[in-house]
Amino acid sequence: MAASEENSALFPIFILTIMAIPLVPYTMVKLSRAVAKKQRTIHCQCLECDRSGKYKRSLFKKISNFSTWSNLTLVLLWVVMIFLIYYTKNMSRETQVFDPFSILGLEPGVSDSEIKKAYRRLSIQYHPDKNPDPEANKYFVESISKAYQALTDPVSRENFEKYGHPDGRQGFQMGIALPKFLLDIDGASGGILLLWIVGVCILLPLVIAVIYLSRSSKYTGNYVMHQTLSAYYYLMKPSLAPSKVMDVFTKAAEYMEIPVRRTDDEPLQKLFMSVRSELNLDPKNMKQEQAKFWKQHPAIVKTELLIQAQLTRESGVLSPALQGDFRRVLELAPRLLEELLKMAVLPRTSQGHGWLRPAVGVVELSQCIVQAVPLSARKSSGVSSEGISPFLQLPHFSDAVVKKIARKKVKSFQELQEMSLEDRSELLTQVAGLSATDVDDIEKVLEMMPSLTVDITCETEGEEGIQEGDIVTLQAWVTLKRPNGLIGALPHSPYFPFHKEENYWVLLADSVSNNVWFSQKVSFMDEGGAITAASKTISDAMEGSGAGVKETSDAVREAIEKVKGGSRLVMGKLQAPSEGTYNLTCYCMCDSWIGCDKKTSLKVKVLKRTRAGTRGFVSDEGAIAEEGMEEEDEIEEEDYDDDYESEYSEDEDDKKDVVEKKGSKKANGTVKKKESSSEESGSEEE
Amino acid sequence: MRRGGFRVLDMVKPFLPYLPEVQSAFEKKKKVPLREKVIYTLTTLFVFLVCSQLPLYGIHSTTGADPFYWMRAILASSRGTLMELGIGPIITSGLVMQFLTGSKIIQVNDEEDHALLNAAQKLLGVLIALGQAVTYVLSGMYGPVAQLGVGNALLIVLQLVFAGVILQCLDELLQKGYGLGSAISLFIATSLCESVIWKAFSPVTFNNIGRSGQEFEGALISLFHNLITKSSIRQAFFRQSLPNVTNLLATVLVFLIVVYLQGFRVVLPVWSKNSRQGSGYPIKLLYTSNMPIILQSALVSNLYFISQLLYNNFSGSFLVNLLGQWRGPTPVGGLAYLITAPSSLAAHPCHTLFYIVFMLSTCAFLSKTWIEVSGSSARDVAKQLKKQGMWMDGHRDSNLHKELNRYIPTTAAFGGMCIGALTVLADLTGAIGSGTGILLAVTTIYQFLDTFDKELATES
């Protein structure tokens, strides 16, 4: 009776522990995150962005934000836990260790007369003669009289002192803290047990594996389909014009999956009419071109039209069904554009260079989609290469406003940015006829706009010049500044309905030969991650060049300061091409803002390869260059921690010993080599 | 052939077609993607775990003292299951081959010889498994043979040998480029992790009636139990008979120390002639990784085995008693007793001192020997670097060896000593699993993570 009660209290404790160990830390993390949540807003404050509803935190939203599934389960689990604690506390009160003093209500070590007195007092209360209650009877026999005996009877007392129980040595019981019904295998629980084993131990892993495999065969690590990547790979051409990038972009397999409905035809036709001018159709034989456009795969037609709807800000006229597709298309767009860019800069040429022109086209398309600015607005107008598109990303700007301010000699976006505050507001209110609140909005957006500086160096580590075939280390510090002082921020993008982070692409390219030498994505959002990454790369580089501990730590500290000041480190290695002087351009392009891209030129001079390094290398044998010409960019220390791996090295060991023996008489290394080879051939002849 | 005469390796040739072999991924010039490697590794692990749960068919009893108790953690074996032998046969055959080639009894010259050597090793592994299985059955580990019957006895042997072959195939699978790291260390690490998890969360209860009431075996569960039902949690931290929280914390401590030590290294600046690229050649403090402790435990377990055997048969002799006196599976006197971890530090100071000195010196010595045997000594590294066209700043080519010699043997010896000291620490604090086991598991897990990281980096 008592044992089963005890067991039923033990199982909850087991469950409780298993629950509490993940639950408590998880809750603490969650709470601390909720407390430390940054109150600073990092998104654009202009009216248009507010109106887009992306960053709205209404009361309803706040509630729904709190009542997510994870939070609800968290609360539920805590309730269960508290219940369990309460339950076990209650249950375990009955399962106390036999302690005669506490049963008699005495302090340990009191005199015999006191014990007798207490026993008599309790007897009056519980003795079956005085108390007819069977419970009391039981308690008297099992506890009180036993306790009294234990303290007065010498045998019992000795037993109690020796084994902790007046009845002498007690057994040693073993059990499992699981509910009873799980443990008797013969009865009904056999089925439960079988179900449990088959279900949880075999089926569950299998199902998870199958789901994982089927998903991962379709998607890459970046949640983009394999099919999309291969389509992009084949369609990417070295001189893909920026206007044609769109055609490649829409071929993604994800977009093919969007259903094509018959009911969409009419609204799409309507949409086509409104965006026709943007589609690059030849105006001379419009009919033919139109027919050709509609003959494409319906999903591609639809995607292209929907993207054009975004670029021309025509999304308001879409039917509800199309509105859903439109959101889907835009949701996928950033991810796909990133992959497309990666495809463009993929090493294609024999020197391992990617293509510049398509890469630039992809970034421009990305900027246009995020800012909802038509591609045609980018056509260069003579003054700036980006045309009027930078103006159009500002709130309250339209073609008419741009024309008006152009009359006042403000033709490029940079001119507008560089004007003083008063001049600008005067220009906008007087000439363009905007209201004071509108001007305020524009100022907010202009304050949000990043300006970039790139500080790039290219050198062979520890050498003076760059020679053919060297591994060149490229180090660039990309520094971002905004007039309002933020570093990591969300761009002004009122027409893009999703959360979009700014990403920057650093491309080192030869613009004449269309070659991208090096490319990397930079993000300014995660400062902590950038600090660890930068300090790691710096310390690795310093270690490789043999610098001391102090120098390394100084360099790391400096790098951390820089990162905190809004810079990001880009580090890469590339192989120097053949001799010559290269005029490279370092492009630093933003994928969400128009008009803040930065180009920095960099001259790289590659010298002819000389025999050896300039670092005072002393060789005691002539032919170094002939030796070991195979490419080895990394030396890996092999960890021979296992019997198996090491045996492969064993034969080298033998050979070397032979070599060593023969060569030890001679001082010269070259002779050593010859000697050993002749030795080997000699042995073969035997 | 080239050398003429009789070669031991050629004896393996007739068996070649019958030995199961995994086609190497390197041979096929196919790069196995990381995802597949992870899947292969996990599947291997799953097979191993299933094998170590499946009871042997036809055995009578597995009760009574377990004579191989102290080897179970290192050999990843579990009693009465298909994994009774664990990775013992594989390790033993590997070690034997290693020493044969190291001592040049077997000469390996070319690709073909390599294949033969591998085959020989596998054959030896199967033979050892067969021998061990037969010994186990005949010695009455699963009940007297007469009681088992010939059929059952044969079946048991067959099961054990077959399990050994499966393990060998799994190990080869991972070894040949389909997995991360080696299967052997994976299995050791898994069995240790299993025991740590069990000791922390075991739902088994013991009831020492009258003394302390119900107690959980799992340390953490017991902590919660005491926290809720009793006012003091002292018992959960300091109980002696069952795993306690202190043990668990000691395990975590040892784990952290090993991970910390893994980061210690000296970087020698070397320069490549071809690309004129400077890079560092890192020499880790734990240069030989967990090898010294593997060798040390192999040494000790063999000593135990011999001593136990001798004591059981000729217990009267003075020399035998000097080597070791046994009571059941525990040594109580002689050398075997002295090299066993003492139960408490204060009670036997001399024993503790001897044990520490023994551990440190053997680990240092074995580590230093190992670099010579395994081909990672200064001379070999110098040769390897030279082959890659690397040189050290301001040193003649011939000096590279000397320069490396300044570091490598010292590092190896000191690293071995550190490993030994950690083992002692783990043993004295009563970390869960033996000190050896923890060390093996931690270094293995670290290596696996390292490989995983590298693979991930090369993939993207």
Side-chain angles (χ1 to χ4, degrees):
Chain A
M1 175 75 197
S4 78
E5 252 170 39
E6 240 175 302
N7 256 338
S8 64
L10 289 178
F11 180 61
I13 289 177
F14 176 64
I15 293 287
L16 184 71
T17 317
I18 298 292
M19 259 172 61
I21 283 170
L23 190 63
V24 172
Y26 180 71
T27 316
M28 295 230 273
V29 167
K30 200 124 197 200
L31 283 179
S32 68
R33 207 175 282 164
V35 169
K37 206 178 212 173
K38 267 190 204 144
Q39 291 304 315
R40 210 154 66 140
T41 47
I42 54 165
H43 59 80
C44 180
Q45 297 289 317
C46 76
L47 272 179
E48 279 191 22
C49 277
D50 273 352
R51 229 175 287 144
S52 71
K54 263 192 291 183
Y55 314 111
K56 277 257 174 65
R57 288 276 175 272
S58 63
L59 189 66
F60 174 72
K61 254 206 171 151
K62 269 180 192 160
I63 291 171
S64 71
N65 208 17
F66 172 73
S67 61
T68 53
W69 281 114
S70 71
N71 283 351
L72 281 183
T73 25
L74 207 67
V75 171
L76 196 76
L77 284 178
W78 272 107
V79 170
V80 171
M81 236 175 80
I82 288 164
F83 171 74
L84 279 179
I85 290 175
Y86 183 74
Y87 176 77
T88 43
K89 262 236 166 297
N90 268 0
M91 289 299 285
S92 60
R93 205 165 290 154
E94 295 155 24
T95 65
Q96 267 180 358
V97 181
F98 178 79
D99 179 8
F101 288 108
S102 69
I103 290 173
L104 295 180
L106 296 167
E107 294 290 311
V110 289
S111 66
D112 281 2
S113 62
E114 293 248 5
I115 294 170
K116 272 184 190 147
K117 217 182 270 168
Y119 175 66
R120 225 163 273 145
R121 179 165 44 81
L122 287 171
S123 301
I124 294 167
Q125 213 173 334
Y126 290 105
H127 197 276
D129 293 352
K130 309 271 179 200
N131 198 333
D133 189 6
E135 283 283 316
N137 184 13
K138 205 176 126 210
Y139 182 70
F140 181 78
V141 174
E142 277 185 6
S143 304
I144 297 175
S145 59
K146 205 174 258 177
Y148 177 67
Q149 214 175 357
L151 296 178
T152 48
D153 185 52
V155 180
S156 297
R157 186 145 198 174
E158 198 190 319
N159 271 337
F160 173 67
E161 270 159 14
K162 229 182 194 169
Y163 305 110
H165 207 273
D167 291 350
R169 197 188 174 87
Q170 296 283 308
F172 192 71
Q173 265 181 6
M174 216 176 113
I176 296 181
L178 290 175
K180 261 268 156 61
F181 66 92
L182 273 179
L183 289 176
D184 49 290
I185 294 171
D186 308 324
S189 66
I192 297 175
L193 214 63
L194 193 71
L195 259 179
W196 173 260
I197 290 173
V198 170
V200 175
C201 300
I202 299 173
L203 281 182
L204 199 71
L206 265 182
V207 167
I208 289 172
V210 165
I211 290 175
Y212 170 73
L213 285 180
S214 66
R215 263 193 70 87
S216 63
S217 65
K218 225 166 151 191
Y219 286 91
T220 62
N222 258 342
Y223 306 105
V224 174
M225 286 184 180
H226 284 293
Q227 224 180 326
T228 307
L229 291 189
S230 61
Y232 282 177
Y233 183 80
Y234 287 113
L235 291 170
M236 188 56 69
K237 294 286 174 295
S239 54
L240 200 68
S243 57
K244 296 286 179 202
V245 168
M246 173 85 108
D247 294 340
V248 179
F249 169 62
T250 52
K251 300 284 190 300
E254 275 90 345
Y255 291 154
M256 295 293 192
E257 274 186 351
I258 295 176
V260 178
R261 285 169 234 103
R262 199 162 281 279
T263 50
D264 286 345
D265 282 353
E266 207 182 322
L268 279 180
Q269 283 282 0
K270 222 186 272 169
L271 185 60
F272 175 73
M273 296 313 282
S274 60
V275 300
R276 194 168 53 179
S277 59
E278 292 289 326
L279 284 173
N280 282 327
L281 303 179
D282 190 2
K284 279 171 201 158
N285 40 5
M286 203 59 168
K287 275 260 159 64
Q288 265 181 336
E289 289 267 312
Q290 273 187 28
K292 211 168 121 195
F293 179 80
W294 284 104
K295 251 186 210 155
Q296 296 176 81
H297 191 286
I300 294 177
V301 172
K302 184 167 158 180
T303 312
E304 179 145 12
L305 286 176
L306 289 177
I307 288 178
Q308 290 294 356
Q310 159 75 1
L311 295 183
T312 52
R313 306 183 182 177
E314 297 277 357
S315 57
V317 300
L318 297 174
S319 65
L322 272 181
Q323 197 64 252
D325 293 344
F326 175 71
R327 284 180 69 87
R328 178 94 186 117
V329 166
L330 287 184
E331 192 182 5
L332 291 170
R335 220 183 288 157
L336 292 174
L337 283 164
E338 196 182 320
E339 288 306 309
L340 193 59
L341 186 74
K342 278 185 196 157
M343 279 296 153
V345 297
L346 206 68
R348 306 267 190 155
T349 58
S350 52
Q351 297 98 22
H353 294 160
W355 297 323
L356 175 63
R357 242 163 276 159
V360 172
V362 172
V363 177
E364 284 178 0
L365 180 64
S366 168
Q367 292 171 352
C368 284
I369 289 180
V370 173
Q371 294 298 346
V373 170
L375 283 170
S376 59
R378 292 197 76 107
K379 284 202 183 106
S380 52
S381 55
V383 184
S384 77
S385 59
E386 275 140 349
I388 59 166
S389 56
F391 289 112
L392 292 182
Q393 70 187 334
L394 297 180
H396 317 296
F397 262 69
S398 62
D399 288 349
V401 175
V402 176
K403 265 181 205 147
K404 272 182 202 159
I405 62 169
R407 261 182 246 140
K408 280 286 172 195
K409 296 274 183 282
V410 181
K411 281 189 176 145
S412 76
F413 189 64
Q414 208 167 358
E415 283 169 25
L416 183 76
Q417 266 182 310
E418 279 163 5
M419 286 168 89
S420 70
L421 208 62
E422 292 82 31
D423 287 351
R424 191 156 53 212
S425 72
E426 194 188 314
L427 174 81
L428 292 174
T429 45
Q430 304 294 322
V431 181
L434 297 171
S435 68
T437 50
D438 292 351
V439 173
D440 209 33
D441 270 354
I442 291 170
E443 286 302 334
K444 273 179 189 156
V445 174
L446 284 175
E447 275 188 1
M448 204 67 177
M449 271 198 84
S451 67
L452 295 162
T453 42
V454 181
D455 176 20
I456 189 164
T457 53
C458 230
E459 56 173 19
T460 306
E461 253 172 55
E463 302 280 350
E464 262 154 34
I466 298 174
Q467 290 183 5
E468 286 175 4
D470 276 0
I471 302 291
V472 178
T473 308
L474 177 118
Q475 186 175 350
W477 282 100
V478 183
T479 312
L480 177 137
K481 280 208 168 61
R482 289 177 220 269
N484 62 4
L486 287 173
I487 293 168
L490 298 175
H492 160 83
S493 54
Y495 294 96
F496 191 78
F498 294 97
H499 181 88
K500 173 84 183 82
E501 288 183 4
E502 282 172 9
N503 286 313
Y504 296 85
W505 282 92
V506 176
L507 306 176
L508 182 68
D510 188 345
S511 52
V512 180
S513 61
N514 191 25
N515 283 338
V516 177
W517 289 32
F518 174 81
S519 65
Q520 193 170 325
K521 190 171 109 171
V522 182
S523 167
F524 285 86
M525 293 299 280
D526 182 13
E527 192 184 79
I531 286 176
T532 43
S535 54
K536 192 167 181 300
T537 33
I538 291 277
S539 63
D540 278 358
M542 297 294 278
E543 218 168 43
S545 61
V549 179
K550 195 172 177 299
E551 290 170 60
T552 312
S553 65
D554 281 348
V556 168
R557 204 173 307 126
E558 194 188 334
I560 290 174
E561 282 306 311
K562 268 188 173 174
V563 172
K564 279 186 181 155
S567 295
R568 292 292 181 269
L569 178 66
V570 175
M571 193 117 148
K573 300 210 164 177
L574 40 103
Q575 198 172 15
S578 54
E579 187 190 0
T581 306
Y582 296 86
N583 281 316
L584 300 181
T585 314
C586 179
Y587 289 79
C588 184
M589 292 187 291
C590 179
D591 69 346
S592 9
W593 290 95
I594 304 176
C596 61
D597 299 347
K598 196 86 184 174
K599 288 180 199 172
T600 322
S601 58
L602 175 75
K603 205 176 217 173
V604 174
K605 202 167 172 188
V606 179
L607 304 169
K608 202 162 171 53
R609 183 153 178 79
T610 54
R611 199 177 53 82
T614 50
R615 286 179 54 99
F617 165 67
V618 200
S619 81
D620 57 348
E621 49 189 293
I624 317 140
E626 281 83 39
E627 230 183 46
M629 274 308 284
E630 74 259 61
E631 284 292 326
E632 281 287 352
D633 13 10
E634 226 188 322
I635 12 146
E636 266 308 338
E637 183 221 346
E638 300 274 336
D639 264 346
Y640 295 114
D641 50 335
D642 217 295
D643 332 320
Y644 278 113
E645 288 163 338
S646 46
E647 73 191 43
Y648 296 111
S649 59
E650 212 51 40
D651 58 327
E652 282 179 18
D653 203 37
D654 305 345
K655 267 194 218 160
K656 182 218 63 200
D657 271 8
V658 175
V659 174
E660 211 44 51
K661 250 180 257 159
K662 298 288 164 196
S664 54
K665 292 166 203 158
K666 324 272 176 185
N668 199 311
T670 351
V671 183
K672 219 189 264 182
K673 276 251 142 89
K674 270 182 197 156
E675 189 74 20
S676 71
S677 65
S678 70
E679 164 66 25
E680 261 172 21
S681 62
S683 68
E684 266 164 43
E685 279 161 20
E686 272 175 30
Chain B
M1 293 197 11
R2 263 160 291 128
R3 280 164 204 276
F6 174 75
R7 295 192 334 141
V8 187
L9 269 186
D10 289 334
M11 273 169 52
V12 190
K13 266 192 182 158
F15 297 103
L16 263 185
Y18 306 108
L19 286 169
E21 203 191 341
V22 179
Q23 200 184 4
S24 170
F26 308 119
E27 233 166 70
K28 284 197 280 180
K29 297 269 182 214
K30 201 186 91 187
K31 175 105 178 57
V32 184
L34 180 64
R35 192 168 61 85
E36 269 176 43
K37 281 189 178 178
V38 171
I39 291 174
Y40 273 119
T41 313
L42 288 182
T43 316
T44 308
L45 199 60
F46 187 69
V47 171
F48 169 74
L49 287 177
V50 168
C51 278
S52 52
Q53 292 299 325
L54 275 183
L56 282 167
Y57 172 79
I59 55 175
H60 238 265
S61 64
T62 49
T63 48
D66 185 355
F68 299 103
Y69 175 73
W70 30 266
M71 277 166 71
R72 296 250 178 247
I74 305 156
L75 296 184
S77 72
S78 42
R79 201 168 186 206
T81 66
L82 279 180
M83 283 297 117
E84 176 77 57
L85 302 180
I87 53 174
I90 303 182
I91 285 200
T92 320
S93 72
L95 275 177
V96 168
M97 281 299 163
Q98 185 83 45
F99 282 113
L100 284 184
T101 44
S103 57
K104 298 190 194 63
I105 294 173
I106 291 180
Q107 304 252 344
V108 184
N109 300 323
D110 51 20
E111 279 295 298
E112 200 194 354
D113 282 4
H114 262 308
L116 277 181
L117 187 76
N118 269 341
Q121 188 169 331
K122 268 190 278 183
L123 195 67
L124 190 66
V126 175
L127 288 180
I128 291 174
L130 187 71
Q132 279 193 344
V134 168
T135 324
Y136 278 25
V137 171
L138 287 185
S139 69
M141 236 177 111
Y142 307 114
V145 185
Q147 218 172 2
L148 285 173
V150 182
N152 269 348
L154 277 181
L155 266 182
I156 294 171
V157 171
L158 208 68
Q159 287 171 62
L160 289 178
V161 172
F162 189 63
V165 173
I166 287 181
L167 263 200
Q168 236 166 29
C169 291
L170 289 178
D171 183 49
E172 205 181 341
L173 179 79
L174 295 202
Q175 204 76 228
K176 286 201 168 168
Y178 291 100
L180 306 159
S182 95
I184 294 177
S185 9
L186 179 69
F187 295 157
I188 297 177
T190 313
S191 58
L192 185 105
C193 291
E194 211 181 300
S195 90
V196 169
I197 295 283
W198 182 257
K199 297 246 164 93
F201 295 107
S202 157
V204 171
T205 57
F206 288 93
N207 191 359
N208 197 348
I209 296 174
R211 265 287 136 95
S212 50
Q214 294 275 16
E215 258 191 278
F216 277 99
E217 189 191 358
L220 279 180
I221 300 208
S222 144
L223 175 69
F224 272 75
H225 182 207
N226 284 348
L227 206 63
I228 292 172
T229 59
K230 295 166 194 163
S231 49
S232 100
I233 53 172
R234 217 186 107 79
Q235 200 209 352
F237 277 90
F238 299 111
R239 60 184 184 173
Q240 283 301 319
S241 50
L242 294 169
N244 57 33
V245 180
T246 325
N247 293 350
L248 206 64
L249 289 178
T251 314
V252 174
L253 181 76
V254 171
F255 193 102
L256 292 180
I257 293 177
V258 173
V259 171
Y260 182 67
L261 285 184
Q262 293 275 10
F264 269 61
R265 56 190 186 165
V266 180
V267 181
L268 297 184
V270 288
W271 299 82
S272 164
K273 285 169 197 161
N274 305 323
S275 59
R276 306 195 314 153
Q277 168 70 23
S279 58
Y281 184 82
I283 296 175
K284 282 191 203 155
L285 172 62
L286 305 184
Y287 187 69
T288 43
S289 190
N290 51 20
M291 213 53 219
I293 208 70
I294 291 185
L295 292 174
Q296 197 266 347
S297 58
L299 187 83
V300 168
S301 60
N302 279 321
L303 193 100
Y304 279 0
F305 192 72
I306 294 166
S307 161
Q308 216 168 359
L309 207 72
L310 287 175
Y311 186 76
N312 287 343
N313 294 323
F314 323 94
S315 58
S317 160
F318 171 72
L319 276 177
V320 170
N321 281 351
L322 199 66
L323 198 61
Q325 291 161 318
W326 296 80
R327 189 181 300 140
T330 45
V332 289
L335 185 64
Y337 169 70
L338 283 179
I339 58 176
T340 318
S343 51
S344 81
L345 191 94
H348 319 277
C350 279
H351 180 188
T352 314
L353 196 69
F354 185 86
Y355 173 70
I356 291 174
V357 170
F358 171 77
M359 279 303 277
L360 295 192
S361 50
T362 36
C363 279
F365 173 73
L366 287 172
S367 176
K368 224 174 154 177
T369 322
W370 179 251
I371 55 172
E372 298 294 337
V373 178
S374 68
S376 47
S377 65
R379 200 177 288 149
D380 299 307
V381 173
K383 206 180 145 215
Q384 193 189 339
L385 283 179
K386 226 186 247 177
K387 219 163 143 194
Q388 289 168 346
M390 300 286 190
W391 89 93
M392 230 161 140
D393 198 20
H395 288 277
R396 284 169 185 275
D397 256 17
S398 52
N399 269 356
L400 186 59
H401 163 216
K402 273 182 208 153
E403 190 63 21
L404 283 172
N405 222 352
R406 280 179 54 208
Y407 291 96
I408 289 183
T410 323
T411 321
F414 191 64
M417 245 162 87
C418 284
I419 289 281
L422 273 174
T423 313
V424 171
L425 177 76
D427 277 338
L428 291 185
T429 48
I432 294 171
S434 63
T436 320
I438 292 180
L439 264 269
L440 282 176
V442 179
T443 40
T444 308
I445 292 170
Y446 188 85
Q447 273 162 20
F448 263 82
L449 281 182
D450 214 35
T451 345
F452 187 79
D453 255 16
K454 263 184 206 151
E455 291 269 336
L456 209 65
T458 51
E459 196 115 307
S460 59

